[in-house]
Amino acid sequence: MKFYIITLLLCGCVMGVDIDKNTFSNYREVQMQHLHIEWLLNLNQKIIDGSAEYTFRVTTAELKEVHLDIYQMDIKYAYYPNFGKVLDWHVESDPKQSLIQGDKLIIELGQSFRYGDIFKLRIKYQIGEQARALSFMNIEQTDDKKAPYLFSQCEANNCRSMIPLQDTPSIKFTYSASVLTQDQQINVFMSGLPVENTKFSLMEQYNLNGIANIFQFELKIKIPSYLIAIVAGTVQERKTSDRTSVISEAKNIEIYQKELEHLDKYVKYLEDYIGDYKWGFYKIVILPASFPFGGMENPLLTFANPSIIVGDKSGISVAIHEIAHSWFGNTVTCNNWSNMWINEGFCVFLERKGLLQHYESIDLVYVNSLVGNDEMNALIKEFNSNHDPVIKSYASLHPITENHNADDSFSTIPYERGYQLLLYLEKLVSEDKFQLLLQAWLQQNQYQSVDENDFYNFMIAWIQSNFSMKDFLYIKQQIDSVYIKWIYNTDAPPYKYGFINDASLLATNLAEDWASSRPGEQPQGYEIFDKFQSNQKQLFLSSLLKKNLDPVTMKQLDSTYNLTNNLDAELLFRWYTLSIQTKYATDFTNLKKIRTFVSKIGRMKMINPIYKALDKKTAETWYNENIRFYHPLARQSIENIIKNKGLDVNVELL
Ligand SMILES: *[C@@H]1O[C@H](CO)[C@@H](O)[C@H](O)[C@H]1NC(C)=O
Ligand SMILES: *[C@@H]1O[C@H](CO)[C@@H](O)[C@H](O)[C@H]1NC(C)=O
Ligand SMILES: *[C@@H]1O[C@H](CO)[C@@H](O)[C@H](O)[C@H]1NC(C)=O
Ligand SMILES: [Zn+2]
């Protein structure tokens, strides 16, 4: 029977094959079961004294060394906590990789462990500003202006800069933490539940006179390293329901609480589709504006950029997206960063099921899909025009991340291309059946790490037992005709979605009318713009980005819709990109507004397109002005953008 053969060929899960080439650890021989960290925060000096205690389980016949991932940290010593024996260690470093992926820390165990043995190890170390997962902020960079602030961003492979560990999404473990602070004003949250502050005894000897507080946390559900997270500052928590809350500095907390008052309802929407929420609480932190992403799905501690708080609840899709990760990403996880769509594609699919309940209109949901589709197609084109096969691969659902910082492959592709694949599969088997299939997939693979072969095999088996033989063979043939192409090819997906509907046509037709209007004139019915939902306005602007507008029409547009002064960053970044592209932004006032924008928001999605549109010299000037404000991850990506700017064909703007 032919399909069994194909199924076998698709399975890359042969013993001995490396699952994750972005880790230096020997995670196939020994695996973290539990991690306990102890951190003494010195936020004024931007230093953390850390200890990590690992509970390891041996998964090979004989183990003599433990290899862990580290990035720019100072290892003090390694020892067995139970009998205090100090162990030999050294760092193996490839100068070409050191600043890209980090180094390998090798700990010699001084004895052999056997398959199935469980043992504990402890490492004492220090980290500082070189830790690229961490953003240490000065008092002046905070909203409250009372104390320094710290937050982390571990995805993709950045946890290794704050803890030596097996930094791969294919290893899951439980964790706990004790965090000591020296300033009474500092409050700490981590991606775990707070526990009584004497639950874990301290591993290290401290002079407790200098200690203001001890915060302790515990997460009893197994997670991969990239979901460890911390925020410390003058942050407070406000409930929005029994199980949901908002965390932020005091200054804007009431505004945030109001904007996110319906969090619980959104959790409920997703539960209706996919099953119970298993993490207990849902908390969202509104971080300082330099946070480089819209959101980050740390369990019990979603991080979000303040740009999602618009005042009209229109930024809610980011919150729904992060909640959706509680199932896809945090419960079933990709096993390496080439498979990131296993997190993001599924998550977007679930996010839009939640949005359907929110908008009560599939048309409006598809407006989001269409905006995403536009972004995806632009990127597919951009990546394919590059001669580097690595960059080209970013257009597929299977980017090459080996020997690279996995963050480089980050784009909207795994989100939208992955979402569209799932939508295609849903159409094949019907909505009802696909919902059951996804629920069963989650049930079977929860708390594990998987790849697209696992999903394929699961899906085929499920369809086989839930359909007649005839239907099964037909569906399987359809799936097989697209699945591999959809994932591995770098050109457009084999099935093209229009997502066109009445709600989207209002936006795209209006864009069309403006583009074909005579300079200085308004098209008929131009007022409908004011009644658009935020996502229709986004679509309007992203459609204009594909047109050749002249500066006169741009000026007319601006005075008609007051776009340069809009308060919604989702609209502003598109409008500003358009303003640069069309050379509308040459007069001093406009350009100054854009320059201010990139100094106030550090969300890569919103500033990268602007940096891409700018000429090299202006981009460099603006970047240098804001280098201290930007997060290390944003710095890296803007530097890449500037580096890749060829000979300057744009008119210089300064
Ligand atoms: C991730 O796993 C896939 C198999 O699912 C493999 O083809 C790919 O090379 C792996 N990538 C990395 C970076 O390990
Ligand atoms: C669908 O297939 C799964 C997996 O084989 C099976 O457990 C389940 O009972 C089937 N559902 C129905 C309604 O037959
Ligand atoms: C344009 O928008 C800004 C900010 O919302 C507002 O203060 C201003 O009054 C608006 N101007 C006009 C002409 O509507
Ligand atoms: Zn996501």
Side-chain angles (χ1 to χ4, degrees):
M1 294 204 295
K2 201 163 136 238
F3 49 89
Y4 283 124
I5 297 170
I6 293 171
T7 307
L8 277 176
L9 281 178
L10 272 169
C11 182
C13 44
V14 188
M15 285 297 287
V17 170
D18 274 342
I19 294 168
D20 185 357
K21 303 183 189 93
N22 288 118
T23 174
F24 299 111
S25 70
N26 56 344
Y27 67 101
R28 299 185 58 88
E29 296 168 12
V30 58
Q31 298 182 349
M32 288 165 61
Q33 309 264 289
H34 183 79
L35 168 71
H36 180 72
I37 58 173
E38 188 168 290
W39 275 6
L40 171 62
L41 304 185
N42 184 337
L43 298 186
N44 290 319
Q45 287 182 39
K46 306 188 176 180
I47 287 173
I48 297 174
D49 285 306
S51 302
E53 181 179 286
Y54 316 81
T55 308
F56 281 120
R57 183 169 179 279
V58 181
T59 52
T60 188
E62 186 182 26
L63 183 81
K64 292 184 162 169
E65 291 177 350
V66 171
H67 303 171
L68 301 176
D69 294 299
I70 56 170
Y71 182 92
Q72 303 293 305
M73 61 170 60
D74 183 9
I75 301 290
K76 306 279 190 200
Y77 42 88
Y79 60 106
Y80 288 120
N82 297 343
F83 34 97
K85 185 173 181 302
V86 176
L87 297 171
D88 286 337
W89 59 268
H90 62 279
V91 176
E92 197 177 282
S93 174
D94 171 353
K96 283 205 293 291
Q97 284 295 314
S98 201
L99 284 172
I100 295 173
Q101 298 206 83
D103 305 306
K104 185 196 284 189
L105 171 65
I106 299 175
I107 297 156
E108 290 160 33
L109 295 170
Q111 69 176 96
S112 294
F113 287 99
R114 306 267 161 228
Y115 188 94
D117 283 353
I118 292 185
F119 67 97
K120 284 189 178 181
L121 200 70
R122 219 180 259 175
I123 295 177
K124 192 161 165 48
Y125 64 99
Q126 190 179 67
I127 49 179
E129 275 194 287
Q130 320 86 296
R132 69 178 174 195
L134 294 176
S135 211
F136 286 95
M137 304 179 71
N138 301 322
I139 294 182
E140 313 82 69
Q141 292 171 284
T142 65
D143 285 343
D144 288 355
K145 312 252 185 287
K146 287 190 177 141
Y149 194 103
L150 171 77
F151 70 88
S152 63
Q153 169 58 40
C154 284
E155 192 180 12
N157 285 327
N158 302 314
C159 196
R160 63 188 65 172
S161 73
M162 57 182 221
I163 308 165
L165 43 44
Q166 299 181 319
D167 197 10
T168 162
S170 62
I171 296 292
K172 291 190 170 182
F173 52 90
T174 53
Y175 96 100
S176 51
S178 308
V179 179
L180 290 76
T181 56
Q182 297 169 318
D183 178 345
Q184 191 61 46
Q185 304 174 86
I186 299 285
N187 201 359
V188 177
F189 293 91
M190 291 192 75
S191 52
L193 284 176
V195 291
E196 203 192 314
N197 71 4
T198 50
K199 177 158 178 182
F200 311 114
S201 55
L202 294 179
M203 306 191 295
E204 304 293 336
Q205 308 293 317
Y206 297 100
N207 174 4
L208 288 179
N209 286 334
I211 303 301
N213 267 316
I214 301 176
F215 298 88
Q216 299 199 319
F217 304 91
E218 191 171 28
L219 184 56
K220 290 183 168 162
I221 298 179
K222 290 199 294 177
I223 55 160
S225 56
Y226 76 89
L227 291 176
I228 297 178
I230 185 168
V231 60
T234 58
V235 286
Q236 321 181 348
E237 179 171 6
R238 291 283 173 89
K239 288 222 159 257
T240 51
S241 74
D242 286 347
R243 63 171 169 177
T244 60
S245 57
V246 173
I247 296 167
S248 83
E249 292 181 78
K251 189 176 172 210
N252 293 317
I253 195 158
E254 258 118 48
I255 297 170
Y256 298 160
Q257 187 184 13
K258 180 84 187 111
E259 186 91 345
L260 295 166
E261 64 188 342
H262 299 312
L263 276 179
D264 203 324
K265 195 169 79 180
Y266 304 129
V267 178
K268 188 79 187 44
Y269 285 166
L270 299 183
E271 284 186 302
D272 288 347
Y273 182 85
I274 200 73
D276 287 349
Y277 181 76
K278 298 242 173 84
W279 302 81
F281 294 93
Y282 181 81
K283 305 182 185 194
I284 187 164
V285 186
I286 305 299
L287 286 173
S290 61
F291 180 56
F293 297 104
M296 175 63 212
E297 64 269 21
N298 310 304
L300 298 157
L301 200 73
T302 284
F303 284 171
N305 190 286
S307 61
I308 74 163
I309 308 290
V310 183
D312 58 3
K313 299 192 166 69
S314 61
I316 208 63
S317 68
V318 171
I320 296 183
H321 179 90
E322 304 312 328
I323 298 170
H325 270 306
S326 308
W327 291 271
F328 294 123
N330 297 7
T331 303
V332 179
T333 310
C334 61
N335 63 8
N336 72 34
W337 296 114
S338 303
N339 292 313
M340 192 187 190
W341 78 277
I342 291 286
N343 291 5
E344 298 301 346
F346 282 73
C347 185
V348 171
F349 185 85
L350 182 57
E351 167 201 333
R352 290 185 182 152
K353 293 295 175 194
L355 278 175
L356 180 58
Q357 290 194 44
H358 174 66
Y359 286 134
E360 297 176 346
S361 148
I362 190 68
D363 283 3
L364 281 174
V365 176
Y366 280 166
V367 169
N368 280 18
S369 310
L370 198 50
V371 172
N373 191 51
D374 281 355
E375 282 168 7
M376 178 189 86
N377 286 326
L379 279 175
I380 288 178
K381 217 170 125 196
E382 182 187 322
F383 291 141
N384 274 293
S385 69
N386 200 298
H387 297 298
D388 183 344
V390 172
I391 294 191
K392 210 174 223 151
S393 78
Y394 297 169
S396 75
L397 285 183
H398 212 93
I400 298 168
T401 61
E402 191 175 0
N403 292 325
H404 288 75
N405 179 350
D407 287 332
D408 292 350
S409 71
F410 180 83
S411 83
T412 198
I413 300 281
Y415 297 71
E416 300 297 338
R417 194 177 176 116
Y419 159 74
Q420 292 188 11
L421 171 54
L422 294 172
L423 205 58
Y424 178 85
L425 299 171
E426 181 189 49
K427 292 243 156 73
L428 272 180
V429 300
S430 84
E431 281 182 31
D432 292 350
K433 285 260 168 64
F434 199 63
Q435 183 176 1
L436 293 174
L437 187 156
L438 285 183
Q439 288 172 350
W441 161 246
L442 201 68
Q443 189 66 34
Q444 181 174 311
N445 294 284
Q446 57 186 346
Y447 315 127
Q448 307 197 32
S449 303
V450 297
D451 69 10
E452 64 242 6
N453 303 316
D454 298 314
F455 181 64
Y456 176 88
N457 293 337
F458 175 87
M459 172 171 61
I460 296 297
W462 193 93
I463 294 170
Q464 188 170 20
S465 41
N466 287 268
F467 284 85
S468 71
M469 185 50 102
K470 179 162 162 286
D471 287 348
F472 164 67
L473 288 175
Y474 171 76
I475 294 171
K476 177 162 187 310
Q477 188 200 19
Q478 296 295 305
I479 293 177
D480 288 348
S481 71
V482 299
Y483 197 70
I484 292 294
K485 285 188 202 149
W486 212 301
I487 292 170
Y488 286 87
N489 284 16
T490 60
D491 52 7
Y495 182 88
K496 284 189 187 51
Y497 280 95
F499 295 119
I500 294 169
N501 60 62
D502 291 348
S504 75
L505 281 172
L506 288 176
T508 50
N509 286 343
L510 183 63
E512 200 66 55
D513 290 350
W514 274 102
S516 57
S517 71
R518 268 187 295 172
E521 280 187 3
Q522 289 162 328
Q524 276 192 348
Y526 66 89
E527 309 91 336
I528 51 169
F529 181 83
D530 292 327
K531 299 198 190 67
F532 282 174
Q533 300 271 347
S534 170
N535 63 358
Q536 288 171 297
K537 293 181 180 173
Q538 290 167 32
L539 180 60
F540 171 75
L541 291 174
S542 80
S543 308
L544 289 180
L545 277 163
K546 290 184 282 188
K547 315 264 180 229
N548 264 327
L549 295 185
D550 56 88
V552 182
T553 307
M554 286 293 290
K555 192 165 183 358
Q556 184 69 46
L557 263 167
D558 201 4
S559 60
T560 310
Y561 301 142
N562 198 8
L563 286 161
T564 300
N565 294 316
N566 201 287
L567 300 176
D568 183 351
E570 280 284 356
L571 304 182
L572 275 182
F573 89 87
R574 293 185 168 90
W575 173 249
Y576 287 161
T577 306
L578 189 63
S579 302
I580 296 167
Q581 269 181 20
T582 56
K583 310 209 176 2
Y584 170 56
T586 48
D587 83 71
F588 185 64
T589 331
N590 275 349
L591 205 60
K592 212 170 86 181
K593 290 228 161 89
I594 306 178
R595 196 171 186 164
T596 307
F597 182 82
V598 301
S599 75
K600 292 222 174 327
I601 290 193
R603 184 173 169 188
M604 295 191 284
K605 165 187 164 174
M606 297 181 165
I607 53 174
N608 286 11
I610 294 178
Y611 276 104
K612 279 186 188 172
L614 287 173
D615 66 277
K616 190 166 187 161
K617 181 134 181 265
T618 312
E620 271 170 350
T621 309
W622 290 11
Y623 174 64
N624 287 327
E625 283 170 8
N626 297 303
I627 208 164
R628 287 177 53 80
F629 165 68
Y630 292 143
H631 188 276
L633 296 175
R635 270 182 229 155
Q636 201 166 324
S637 89
I638 300 169
E639 278 170 23
N640 279 339
I641 290 172
I642 294 177
K643 199 174 69 199
N644 289 331
K645 280 183 189 291
L647 278 174
D648 235 336
V649 286
N650 289 350
V651 181
E652 204 182 305
L653 288 168
L654 274 176

